[in-house]
Every structure is written in C-alpha cells, then in structure tokens.
Amino acid sequence: MLERSCYDLADRCIEKHGKKPASLIPVMEDIQDELRYLPGELLSYVAKQIGVTEADAYGVATFYENFSFEPKGKYEIKCCDGTACHVKKGIAVIEALQKELGLSKDKHTTDDMQFTLETVSCLGACGLAPTMMVNGKVHPRMTPDTAVALVRELRGDNT
Amino acid sequence: MKIAAREDLKNARLEAAAKMEKQDIRVLVCAGTGCVASGSEAVYEEFRNQLEGREGISLDFAPHDGTKIVGVRHTGCQGICEIGPLVRIRLGDKVVQYVKVQPTDVSAIIQRTILHGEVIEHLLYHGQAQYVSPSDIPFIAKQTRIVLSNCGKYEPDSLSEYIYSGGFRALEKALFEMTPEQVIQEVSDSGLRGRGGAGFPTGRKWSSVAHQPDPVHYVVCNGDEGDPGAFMDGSVMEGDPYKMIEGMMIAAYAVGAQNGYIYVRAEYPLSVKRLREAIRNLEEAGLLGNNILGSSFTFHMHINRGAGAFVCGEGSALTASIEGKRGMPRVKPPRTVEHGLWSKPTVLNNVETYANVPRIIMEGAQWFRSIGSEGSPGTKTFSLTGAIQNTGLIEVPMGTTLRQIIYDIGGGIKSGGTFKAVQIGGPSGGCLTEKELDVGLDFESVKKYDAIIGSGGMVVMDQGSCMVEVARFFMGFTQRESCGKCTPCREGTKRMLEILQKIVDGKGELSDLDDLENLAQMVRSMSLCGLGKSAPLPVISTLHKFRDEYEEHIVDKRCRAHVCGKLRRFIIDEDKCVGCGKCARNCPAGAIIGARKMPHKIITDQCIRCGTCQENCAFDAIYIEY
Amino acid sequence: MMGVMTINGRRVTFTDEKNVLSVIRKAGISIPTLCYLSEMSTFGACRLCMVENERGKMFASCSEVPKDGMTIFTNTKRLQKYRKMIIQLLLGSHDRDCTTCAQSGDCRLQDLARKMNITDVPYQDTRERREIDVSSPSIVRNMNKCILCGDCVRACSELQGLGVLEFTRRGADALVSTAFDRPIAETACVGCGQCRVYCPTGAITIHSNVDDVWDAIGDPNIRVVAQVAPAVRVAVGDAFGMKDGTGVMGMIVNAMHRMGFDEVYDTTLSADLTIMEEANEFLERLSKGEDLPLMTSCCPAWVKFCHDQYPEFDRNVSTCRSPQGMMSAVLKEYYRDPENAGGKKTVVVSVMPCTAKKMEIRWKRNYTKGQKDTDISITSTELVNMIRDFGLDLQMLDPEACDMPFGLGSGGGVIFGASGGVTEAVLRRLAPNHSKQLMDNIADCGVREKKWIREFSIDYKDRRLNICVVSGLANARTVLDKLKAGEVHYDLIEVMACRGGCVMGGGQPVILGRTPREARTAGLYRIDNNETVRKCDENPLVQNLYKGMLKDKAHELLHVHTEE
C-alpha cells in the first residue's frame, strides 16, 4: 500500500483536471511529475475515480513512453539520439554513460537509485548536438568525456 | 489590464508603444532552447543584476530622471543556435549582435556598448567577415522571416510587446471587418498549405469544417513536433506563442469553434511554460474567454502535453490522445474535418500554419502569394543541422534551393567535409543529393525525389555519414514509434529493421536488398496511417540513391564512412608487435594467435570487432582498416 | 444511397451497404479479412481487405463508403503480392505449432495461408514468449498466437461492455492484455467466451475438460451421467457439415451413449423446473412489491457481471439456480439413493453452449450439502471434439431418446437457448391454458422481436407487466444504467450475456465465415413447435418431481444459498 499522501496527490490532480475519462493522461503526467514515477496502485485508483476501466488505463500508460511504473533515479538523464545528435555521434555519449553507470539497454536505473539513463528522440536543441538533458536542463555539445565528467560531478554532490 | 473592447485594444497599443519608446536601449538575450542550454539564462540574470541601480542607467521598470532606460528582455530563437548564447543590443536604430556571450562578458558590454555605444569586436560574429548587425550576417540576411518575425526582437512572455509588434490587429480585423466566410476566403486565396508535412490547403480544410452540420466545432493545434532533428515548431511556440494563438483564434472565428486545444510534446517544457503563461495573460486581459473584444466571439484554450509517442503527430491519434486514449490512428474516412476531437468536426493544423495566419489576414492573400513558389506560397521554416557551418533555425521562401540554404545561409559544409546528402523530412522523408542541390524546395518538387518537405527537419551529411546506417537509424525510430495497430507497419518495419541491422553488421546478402525494397513498397502502400505510409521513405530513398553503399556493405563488407563498427577490421602491425600476448589473453573471442615474443595475428573471421585488443595494446600495434 | 460500381470489370449495384467490403462480398468475391466484423466497429488494422482503384490508389475496403461510379480491383498482382506478404508477416510473429493447436482446422489465419498458397515464412519469431494463461476455468489465452487483430478487445468492450482485454504497449511489443498483465481470472472477466468466438486464431481457446470426461468414462467405478443443454442440439450439427441450426439431439444422445456415457438427460427438464420456481418467485415479488424488477439468473456470465458491476441489483437477481445447477442437484439427489447408484460413484457432466458454465459449477452457493453438483462442464465444441475423437460421424447416427426419468422437457424449456426464451416460458407458465392461439399471442407480444433490447408490456390479471429482454452485456449495461437513473421501470428483466442468447454462447462451434444466430434460433423454435408439451407445468416429469423428490427439497436443491 502506498502512503496516504500519494492518494491525496491523486485526488488533487483529479480535482484539477476534472473527474472525466479525458483527464487520464494529464492526471498521470502530474503524478509522474511529482513522484517521478507512476505507481500502478495509483493508476488503478485514478482509473476508478475518473471512470475508465483499469485495463484501459494500463493500456494508455504502457502506450506512452514517458510513463514509468518503476521509480526513477534522483538524476534523470535523457540522452538525445535524434537525427542531428545521431549524425554527430551521440551514441558514443550514451555508451560512455552506460559504461560509467553500469547500465545497459535494458537496465535504466542504477541500483543506488541515483541515476536513470534514457534515450530520447529529440530534445529540440539540434543546433547544439549532441545534447542531453538532466532533470529538465539541456546540456549542449556533449562528448563522452564531458558527459562522464558531469555524472561524476553529480555523484560527488551526494557522497 | 483588461482589454474588453476595441477601444481598450487601441489604448493597449498606445501604452505598449509608450513603454517601448521609453527604452533607450534594449538588451535582447536569446531564450530559445538552444541558447538556454548554452547558458543564456545566467547571462540574462547578470545583465539585470549589474544594470540594477547602476549610475546613469535605469531598468525600464523603475526609471529615474536623466538616466538611460534599458530594457533587458528574453527573446525567441535568434537563429544561430550553435554560437549561443546570443545577445542583441538595440541602440536606437542600430542593432549589435553578440555571440557566445558569457556572464563574464556582461560588464564589458555594459561599460562599452551600453554606456558608450562602442562595439566589442571579439564578441561579434565572424564568418567570412566580421558582422555587427544581425541583418548583415548572411545566415540571417538571406532569410525571409514571417513566422519568426518577432523572434529576436520581443519578449515571448509579454503581451504588451506582442501588441506593440502588431499583435491582435489581425484578430480585430477579422472580428469586426470580416465575416467568417471572408476569413476563410482570404486564407484559401492565399494558397496557405499545412506546414505539418502533407501540405493540405488550409483554407479548404477550414471551409470543410465550417460547413459541417454539427454545431460544435473544435480547433486543434498540433505542436507534437516529434521528428528527430526538427525544432521549428518548438521555436515558434516558445519564441512567439501569442502569434500562434492569434492564428488559432482567427481559425476558431472562421469555423465557429469555441474551444481550442494545443497538443505540445512533453519534451518541450519551455514551450509548455510559455504557452501557459500566454494563455493566462490573455485570459486575464479578456482576450480569451467570452465575448472577446466585445464581439460575439467566445473562445477558450486548453493545453495538452504529449506523453511520449511520435505517432500522436498523426491527426486521429492526436485527438485520441487528447481524449485520454491510446494514440492509435483510426481508419479514414471519416476524416478529422468531419469526425475529429470528441467526434466533432475539427480543424487540425500545426504550429507554423497557424502562425502564418495573422499576417495573411493583415496583408492579404496577394501579398502572401508574392512570396514563395506558385504552388506553395509563403515561407517555410527549417531546422538546419548536421555537418554544416551554421546550424540553427531558418525561414526561407518556398522554392529556395538547397544550394542557397546550405551554402549561402548555412555557410557550407563544416570544415574539411564534402557534401554528401541532406536528409529532409526526418523519419518520414528521404535524402536529397548533389544532383538535387538546385531544385527549388516546395511541396511538389521534393516529392519527385523520394523525399518530403515534412515538418522541416534538415540534416546535412558529409562523407562521415553512412547512408545505410542512416536508413537503419530512421527505421529503428519508426519501428519503435509504430503504434502497433496495423500489420504492415508493426511487422513490416520490424522486419525491415532486421534486414538493415543485418547489413550494417556485415551479415547482409544481396537478396536482402530486394526483400527490403519489396517490404518497403508494401508498407508504403498498405499501412493505415501516415506514419506507416512514410516510414519506408528513408530506406527507399537511400536504396535508390546510394545503392552502391548498400552493396559495399554486403559484398565488400566495407563501410566507406567508417561508421559501421562491425565492419571494422583490426590488424596487428607486425613491425610494432612485440608478442607480449596481452591482446590474445584479453580477446573475448579467442581470435588472436601467435607465439610468445613473435608478432601476433588476428583471425578476421573469428574477430567480433569489439576493440578490446586495441585498448589493451601497450605498443600501439593494432590499427583499424575499414 | 443506391448506385453502381465496377468491381474487377463487372458492374455491381449496391443499396445500403455500409462499406465497399460488403459490396465486394455481395458480388461473390471473398475478400480476406482478419479484423473486420460487421457487428463491431471498423478497426482497419489487418489491411488484407485493401483494394485498388483505377488510378492505382490503394485503400481499405472496410472503411470506404460505396460511391456511385467507383471502379475498384480486388486482386491486382500488386495486391496479391502484398496480401501474401502480410500473411507471411503475421505468421512470422506467430507460434506456428499448427498441428497441435486446438484451433487447427478452424483457424482463419491457417485458412488464409492455405488459400493464398503460402509455402514459406522467411521470418523468425523473435517476440518475447508469453506464459499461457490458464487461470480461467472458461478460456485459455496463449498470446504467442495472437495476431493483434483486436477482435477480442472489441468483443469484450463493445459487445460485452467489460473492457477486460485491452491493447497494451506498442509497436512490435504491442500485446493484448489485462490490467497489469494479471491472470484473466483476477479480472472482471465473466467467462462468456465471446473473445474466443471472435478470435481468428488459437490465441483464445476454450479451457478444455475433455480429458476429465474421458477419465471418468474410463473408470469402471464411476457412473457418468450427462445433461445436454437446449442450445447444444441446434449447434453441434453445424460442425458436422449439416445445415446450420439443424436439431440433432437424438444423434447427440446416440453418440454419447456410444462413447460411454451411462445416462444422457435433457437440461430442458430443469429449464422447466427453473420456470416453475422463477414464476413463483416472480408472483411472490409482484404481490409483495419487493425486489422488482426480477432479473433472471440462468446465465452465469450475467450473474457475475451484475454482481461485480452493479452490486446494488444483487437482490433483484432471482435466487433460482440455473438449469444446469438444478439438473445436477436433482441428479445427485437421485443417485444418493443407493438403489439408483448401484454401488458406483456418480459424476455429472453437463454439455453446455457456454464457457461461463465451467465457472458457475465452482460457485459454492450452487453447492448442495456442501458438495459440488456438476462435476465437469464441457461445451458443445468439446463434445464435437469428443465425437470426432471417438471416430463417429454424427450424420450417420440414428436418433435415440434421452434416458428416463430425466429425459424430457417442454417446448418452453427448449427455447431457453434463445434470447427471450426464458421470458416466453414464464409467460406460458402464467397463461391459463396451452391453446395454440394463446401460445402464438405470447410469441408475438414482442418477446421475439429482432432487437438486442426488447421492451414490451403484457396484461396479467389486473395489472400490466413491463418486461425487458436483453442480450449482450453491453446492452445489459445500457438497460441497467437507465434503470439506475430511473428512466425505465420494469417488472421482469431477462438477461443473456451473449447476443442472441445461448445459441451464440461462447462454447458453441464457430463456423468460419458464418454467423448462424438466426438459423440456430429458428431451429429451437422449430423443435418447440413440434412439442406436444409446451408449458413447463404440463410436463409429467416435472409434476412427478414436485410430488416426489422436490416435495420438501425444492428450496434446497433449486435455489442458491448465499449464506454459505
């Protein structure tokens, strides 16, 4: 069972967007923004409240890439593999970070819950490729070395 | 300030002009996604901090007598993202463009430029020459900015500055001087075509919706710019949100809609923020809501954030998503104009299309037709990226040639490179090559060359790009983004990707090329929605234009661009190898043989091309041959 | 709209066909589809029904509205090639163990592959293997055979108003699943089996209990007694190539005797008992004015649906067991007598048109003396499989009569298999006599109307009874929502979960390319017409039971016991 506060959060989000099926995605987004993941239990609760079937809600949550049933790390790194970043060797940055953090294509979050590494399709800063985003802030012109340095700096902050 | 009637709008204009004219100097810091990433926010803050309370200067919000009044403002994307943070200083009629400005440069700029009107040379843009004014820089001078006209000049969040720039004149004209039919006629006459990719005539779309018997209509703005390598719509939303909203309001008036939805990609937090701010300001002013400007026109706006699905750029998927459902396109007919959001007749246009509307209403259809090409009037924004000198956001008349874009505006290929191709239209588009450099780009012309204008992503490639790998990259993208509904797209893209992966891994056979072509044509013809229908285009276009590269990968196991890692050959230089055996011990594939103290050898057939041997060699004896 | 279009060079007229596909089929061209079902919304996903116009433009015929003057081609070289590729692609992501698949021979994908002469599949199945879900007693879901046509998803939501199954994930990972991929038994699934009816492949099949039956038959210490439900007799013949809806009860009895069932009884008898009890219950509630409308309880999928989704109506549902439950209780009671048991253990097997019945037999509230009455419930499809397995050709068998003393029901019991049948039988029970005129009047009162929701009123004694007959759970949802909102008032509501009633139950044989609803329904009415006894209270076996075994056990054996 989740804490009561999570349900209060869900109630607030539902209140904000309205008790209607169309609120499903905005409510899930708000919950995910707040908790940085979408607890399945809360999804079922929201579904019931706004009048969609649980299977429907699950279908929607698994359709969109941004929803995650797994808690994410303290630092959410989104590496861009859009066209511009790809042709400017963004993959090398991703590989360097995977190696540094011990992550892979299937493992996105470090065991200590510090880092989550994801690949996204475009951050809209193509002129500065390759780019990556850490907790919403875009970092331009990454190289494998600067990316690793950034991660080490972030890690240094909390040890 | 309430703007509840035409009279109020007139006053607001006067007030905005007074405010603007009061500013002797304007410091315009680019706040586009690119410059923010490069640290423009710190530069902005530094300007404010240093200017506040400085002798002889007042920030415009607290003017003192006898001081220079300086306005420090954010602006939308100034264009040349690569050399950001960009700062423009407007001194009376003169504008100075500084590039790569750091917070440490701020005090010098204040001292020399703001206080004494001097130009700091090392902060200027240096191309083939040194340029002071942005309008001298070829990258900017050779553009025609309609949609982006305000970017670089005005604060995106400020309603007052938008009004000063001429904002809401078009809406006012439409509401009080034109009938909805006349608005539609004007847009139809202008020849404006949807900027989202397909180029459908906007006026015809509006007219269909206006004529639907159902009384409830919607206008929806597609801001789900998902093409990797494209950021034009994002730049418009974050750089000039009011213009796009005004366009939507005019559309709503024309088709009789009372509610509008903007669907923005979640990866554009800045766009979401600025649009929310703009809507809030408009609601407060009364420019959104009931009886706008005292007329009978009522309009409300809503923002929906996308949740990470490229396919939601497709009309029926987008409306499904707004309704809270999986973004799976539905079969058409019925089309969105008859059966769109909540099953009601819906105008769905993209950001750039709406942003063109106010100017068309103001200047008229004939003016618009005077720009661009016969069949595709107006301008088009492109995001110019890749192996090019000046990357950034551009707007040019339709019909401009690739050569003009790449060489005149983009400054040519990045040093040392030679032009190979331009990928245009992203995962739904194709490649244009040397041969097509002089083709004027518009909706029709590009189609002839297995590409599309699409939303306007333009990635320039030089000899360092492997066209097979590029095709694989796009196929990987569409395959990941397929909604999975229809068989051709779900299964077809998966199998095409498998074949392409096989080829870049050096395991391809010549017969794969026929299979690839067959699958591509089938997916193109049989898929349910635009995503599937266009998904094979990158493959078809590279297959037709760069077949030799495919064959090289298959027959010679060679990647001329040195991109495909699995086609590298590791070779031990016998002269350098001392036979220490470290490489052999570390080789995960057991592919290295050799007697102790004798030069070793890599058995190419067993080598998995991981590079471990090279990393471990202390004598630099292992090199790569492509 | 009327018009003429040219299909493959021939002129075809059309009238009110809703899409080009229907016009093509009307013209006698069997264009393939895997996701088009006329009773559900158009999905347009399989892309097999694509056609080409004179300009070479391709479009899906399922979603295109016929227009006068249209010219289309259904079998150009390109279309043939592409369709073949689509089938190959589907087979490439499909568990191709056809020889051992429960659906083999009845699989639409297999059928198309054969018709299109597919002889190779150039793809490996690289999908992640999914565990087979056997959690439900009714159906088995093997998603490794799913081709994502969405038919089950739409059946569950559009026809049944449940939405237990939904598309999840996307792209090549797309998967039809339940909320959080839970086993189907842990969802709101009511076991109706309509998903299985519409599944074109072996991805959703009946949870078979055939082996349990053979085991019982093979055990010399067990007496296997069977009951055969009304709707079974008009469906089993379909699977043996007989005309849709042919009544084959006598042949079924013969076959079952041959296969080793010791006694074969007729569920129509307990359908009669159901009416006796339910009519009493109805009159009692009417006189007290309590718990109205009375809602029928014959259909377990409906009973579960109502309890899960509309618990506020729990008290309205009749306390009568279903005919299956009553029959088994009576049979078990009969064989409790050592004289009847003859020293053997009794196993009761029910043969039902229904997959939900497999679930119903497990419900404790249907138990008698703490014991399960129906030991095994099989569907008509499983019976067909047993007959085939045993090597019998049904058509060649002579009819035999059911065994006594439980082998006879009234015409009113037989029509239980069609939507409206229960209500009609109740009305007959309330009727003062069995004159042909009176029976015909009842049949014409609206109870047989060709609608999913039938509403009508009849006069009974000094009052007017408002009755609703509904089939399909989505339709039931509509009725209950209106009832809840106070928009409608009924005294009696008959609900059958499957559209058209048990004749179209989830356990009935599915015939490729045909919907035998009307033929089967007509088959039941034909049998009823030929019966001499058409009212349950006139069935001598019923009278005997009430005089004998049920004298003071009617409540114990024929009603559910919720307190347990």
Side-chain angles (χ1 to χ4, degrees), chain A residues 27-151:
Chain A
V27 168
M28 292 196 301
E29 281 174 331
D30 285 2
I31 290 174
Q32 167 122 359
D33 281 351
E34 192 74 25
L35 304 177
R36 285 191 299 123
Y37 83 110
L38 180 64
E41 199 183 311
L42 225 45
L43 179 64
S44 304
Y45 175 77
V46 170
K48 203 167 171 184
Q49 292 295 311
I50 62 172
V52 302
T53 68
E54 211 184 349
D56 257 332
Y58 182 67
V60 172
T62 53
F63 183 84
Y64 297 97
E65 217 163 26
N66 295 1
F67 298 116
S68 163
F69 292 122
E70 301 291 323
K72 291 200 177 176
K74 182 175 166 194
Y75 297 105
E76 214 178 315
I77 304 174
K78 292 182 174 174
C79 273
C80 184
D81 187 27
T83 322
C85 293
H86 188 78
V87 301
K88 291 208 169 173
K89 317 268 186 278
I91 289 287
V93 175
I94 297 170
E95 284 170 357
L97 286 178
Q98 281 175 344
K99 202 169 161 192
E100 173 70 17
L101 295 168
L103 299 174
S104 67
K105 221 170 75 208
D106 305 310
K107 183 174 172 1
H108 298 290
T109 300
T110 55
D111 294 332
D112 62 2
M113 298 303 295
Q114 287 296 308
F115 293 95
T116 294
L117 179 65
E118 283 161 351
T119 306
V120 295
S121 294
C122 190
L123 293 170
C126 315
L128 306 172
T131 58
M132 67 188 227
M133 194 191 251
V134 182
N135 288 356
K137 185 178 185 310
V138 177
H139 294 260
R141 298 184 204 89
M142 299 314 289
T143 65
D145 292 343
T146 53
V148 168
L150 181 67
V151 161

Side-chain angles (χ1 to χ4, degrees), chain C residues 312-455:
Chain C
E312 61 270 41
F313 291 123
D314 272 349
R315 294 183 57 81
N316 296 69
V317 176
S318 163
T319 61
C320 290
R321 292 183 186 180
S322 72
Q324 170 186 257
M326 289 193 183
M327 191 68 167
S328 297
V330 166
L331 292 177
K332 279 283 170 72
E333 180 67 15
Y334 178 76
Y335 287 105
R336 259 181 217 115
D337 184 340
E339 203 176 305
N340 296 333
K344 286 187 176 182
K345 186 184 163 210
T346 306
V347 164
V348 175
V349 176
S350 69
V351 184
M352 296 282 137
C354 179
T355 45
K357 291 284 172 189
K358 292 169 182 280
M359 173 185 70
E360 185 193 77
I361 63 173
R362 298 180 174 190
W363 290 345
K364 292 252 164 42
R365 60 176 183 273
N366 282 344
Y367 282 22
T368 308
K369 299 185 201 303
Q371 302 234 308
K372 203 171 160 192
D373 291 326
T374 315
D375 297 285
I376 306 165
S377 178
I378 61 168
T379 59
S380 37
T381 302
E382 289 162 87
L383 179 68
V384 167
N385 291 342
M386 288 180 74
I387 296 172
R388 284 187 182 143
D389 184 7
F390 203 76
L392 299 174
D393 182 356
L394 195 77
Q395 293 206 56
M396 307 299 286
L397 302 179
D398 292 326
E400 281 178 16
C402 283
D403 294 290
M404 285 299 166
F406 307 111
L408 186 73
S410 75
V414 171
I415 59 173
F416 257 57
S419 170
V422 175
T423 305
E424 192 169 341
V426 170
L427 299 180
R428 287 183 190 177
R429 165 77 179 108
L430 300 181
N433 60 58
H434 64 256
S435 74
K436 173 132 190 357
Q437 182 60 47
L438 193 52
M439 294 295 114
D440 288 351
N441 285 350
I442 291 173
D444 290 339
C445 72
V447 71
R448 295 190 190 184
E449 217 184 333
K450 285 197 166 29
K451 279 158 72 176
W452 304 128
I453 300 175
R454 303 168 195 165
E455 296 168 286

